Amino acid sequence: MKFLHTADWHVGKVLRGRSRADEHAAVLRELVELARAEDVDAVIVAGDVFDTAAPTPPSQALVMQTLMALREGGREVVVLAGNHDDPRLLDVYRPVLGTLGVHVVGRFRRPADGGVVSWTTRVGEEVRLAAMPFLSHRYVVRAVEALSDTPDQHNRSYADRFAHLARALTAGFGDDTVNLVAAHGTLPGGKMGGGEREAQTIFSYYFEATAFPPTTQYAALGHLHRRQQMPGPCPIWYSGAPIAVDFGEEANTPGALLVTVEPGRPAQVREVAFGGARELRTVRGSLDELAARAEELGDAWLRVVVAEKPRAGLADRVREILPNALTVDIDEDFRPTTATRRATTAEGAPRTPRDLFRDYLAQSGRSDERVVALFDRLYDEITEAGGGEG
């Protein structure tokens, strides 16, 4: 059996206010083309198909179109809810998509009620897949425990109950079947990609690799955006995200995993990179250095660290040079140091607001005669209306 393992699509994700709908459409087309080219038997989507619990109609349309395209030719498609998804929304899709051959699991289910998805491949192999969507901490740790137990006990309770659920869902794994687990969550030691929700990736949400029995031939995980293999009693992989969702992920290689597995044998895994999304890059330099690199940077989304003293209009100038600059920061070496502010002149007279504002600009490295003139004009208008500086 050959299948694709993918996760963390985050359809609908914007980057510093910029839509990435075209990029999401491009990478999901790559996924569909890969499924066709490799003639896979199945596709596992291990959670976070959407970026938000309330996806827009265009985001939902793109996901539905992609799932239908992946289903072409009778491929089995299994979709889990991740921590970004609303499990209730996925369960709304469940009966309709189920009639079309797409297995949707929004919330944990008993094995006979959809918690274990079974099918027979084209060559007659029997497949058992234990579906473990994201498990919210509030459903695991009861209110009385939250009041009485320590955080360490809460963490242990989450891991223990996740393992209990895994045992129930994998109890039917046999020596003559292809045994798979799909789950959305965090294993200890996993390297974060950079764009995960930290509150749902910390120790309170960890489970142990030992939750997956040795009879498991492959565990397909979602949630961590960096593609990586995890140690455990069976092959365990995070597929990573097919698109870098934030600048913390610019070093990641977006893509998916192509997995081949037979009954009684460990899975063989091949990593496949995608190139449909725009690159995310952090660039540093003076205005002249940035201008010299503008052509090289192409259409990449940019986080710019400018090596210039702060001044009015600097960010606008950077964006004139690099229109794809989404954030503009000042290099640490050019940031002003804090200076002690004097409240009086050398002669001991009180300093006026004009004096204090000029001191602030000088001390912060933002001196600009245009800003000074604007402050003077606004200050004059206010003091004239109020009856003078006194």
Side-chain angles (χ1 to χ4, degrees):
M1 172 189 172
K2 185 190 294 185
F3 66 91
L4 278 176
H5 169 198
T6 179
D8 301 294
W9 294 357
H10 289 278
V11 172
K13 173 72 174 180
V14 298
L15 185 62
R16 307 296 194 270
R18 303 287 186 99
S19 171
R20 306 188 73 191
D22 290 345
E23 294 175 77
H24 272 111
V27 297
L28 293 180
R29 277 197 302 271
E30 286 188 83
L31 183 70
V32 171
E33 289 165 4
L34 179 61
R36 291 169 177 163
E38 293 290 341
D39 193 23
V40 299
D41 297 283
V43 180
I44 298 173
V45 187
D48 282 350
V49 290
F50 297 112
D51 188 61
T52 173
T56 64
S59 294
Q60 295 183 61
L62 176 57
V63 167
M64 294 304 112
Q65 292 163 5
T66 302
L67 295 178
M68 290 298 96
L70 290 172
R71 173 62 180 157
E72 289 173 0
R75 296 183 200 95
E76 300 292 336
V77 180
V78 181
V79 183
L80 310 182
N83 59 298
H84 282 251
D85 300 313
D86 185 344
R88 298 167 300 180
L89 175 62
L90 293 194
D91 280 343
V92 167
Y93 293 136
R94 177 180 170 81
V96 176
L97 292 180
T99 63
L100 301 174
V102 178
H103 310 280
V104 178
V105 185
R107 287 174 281 200
F108 269 81
R109 293 178 172 273
R110 295 178 181 274
D113 189 32
V116 175
V117 182
S118 302
W119 69 88
T120 303
T121 68
R122 290 171 291 183
V123 297
E125 297 166 332
E126 295 297 323
V127 181
R128 304 285 184 270
L129 185 147
M132 305 186 70
F134 178 71
L135 183 62
S136 176
H137 197 267
R138 68 178 181 272
Y139 293 125
V140 173
V141 179
R142 298 182 178 89
V144 64
E145 293 168 328
L147 292 173
S148 60
D149 292 349
T150 66
D152 285 344
Q153 290 172 316
H154 297 166
N155 301 345
R156 189 68 262 161
S157 293
Y158 186 92
D160 288 346
R161 289 172 185 175
F162 183 95
H164 177 76
L165 291 167
R167 285 193 297 271
L169 292 171
T170 59
F173 284 4
D175 295 334
D176 58 347
T177 56
V178 174
N179 304 318
L180 308 175
V181 173
H184 193 92
T186 309
L187 281 177
K191 296 179 180 179
M192 288 192 287
E196 300 89 351
R197 286 180 180 169
E198 184 176 352
Q200 292 171 337
T201 314
I202 56 176
F203 283 103
S204 296
Y205 284 90
Y206 275 48
F207 53 83
E208 301 289 342
T210 51
F212 307 129
T215 50
T216 305
Q217 293 168 268
Y218 184 83
L221 302 189
H223 186 51
L224 300 187
H225 296 173
R226 179 178 296 181
R227 189 160 60 253
Q228 57 194 296
Q229 184 176 13
M230 303 298 297
C234 62
I236 304 172
W237 281 81
Y238 284 98
S239 67
I243 182 172
V245 302
D246 210 339
F247 284 101
E249 301 183 8
E250 60 186 278
N252 295 354
T253 303
L257 293 171
L258 187 65
V259 185
T260 304
V261 62
E262 299 175 8
R265 296 185 179 182
Q268 302 298 311
V269 180
R270 176 157 65 92
E271 301 180 46
V272 181
F274 290 169
R278 294 166 70 170
E279 188 180 3
L280 272 58
R281 298 184 63 175
T282 297
V283 294
R284 293 175 168 79
S286 65
L287 290 177
D288 289 341
E289 291 169 334
L290 296 173
R293 298 184 61 188
E295 185 174 349
E296 163 207 337
L297 297 171
D299 68 347
W301 295 120
L302 303 175
R303 175 172 59 182
V304 180
V305 181
V306 60
E308 300 267 356
K309 292 179 64 175
R311 58 183 181 273
L314 180 59
D316 293 334
R317 179 62 184 135
V318 170
R319 291 189 173 94
E320 289 176 7
I321 298 170
L322 301 172
N324 294 331
L326 301 187
T327 65
V328 179
D329 296 319
I330 302 297
D331 190 295
E332 288 285 351
D333 293 340
F334 289 82
R335 292 184 182 180
T337 57
T338 303
T340 303
R341 185 175 298 169
R342 295 176 298 171
T344 61
T345 64
E347 293 76 20
R351 298 179 65 77
T352 67
R354 298 175 195 271
D355 297 326
L356 295 173
F357 185 68
R358 284 165 170 76
D359 280 353
Y360 163 75
L361 293 178
Q363 292 167 5
S364 63
R366 293 183 171 88
S367 294
D368 188 305
E369 289 304 319
R370 295 171 298 172
V371 176
V372 171
L374 178 60
F375 177 87
D376 286 345
R377 181 168 63 83
L378 293 174
Y379 185 72
D380 287 342
E381 291 176 1
I382 293 171
T383 53
E384 288 173 6
E389 293 188 7

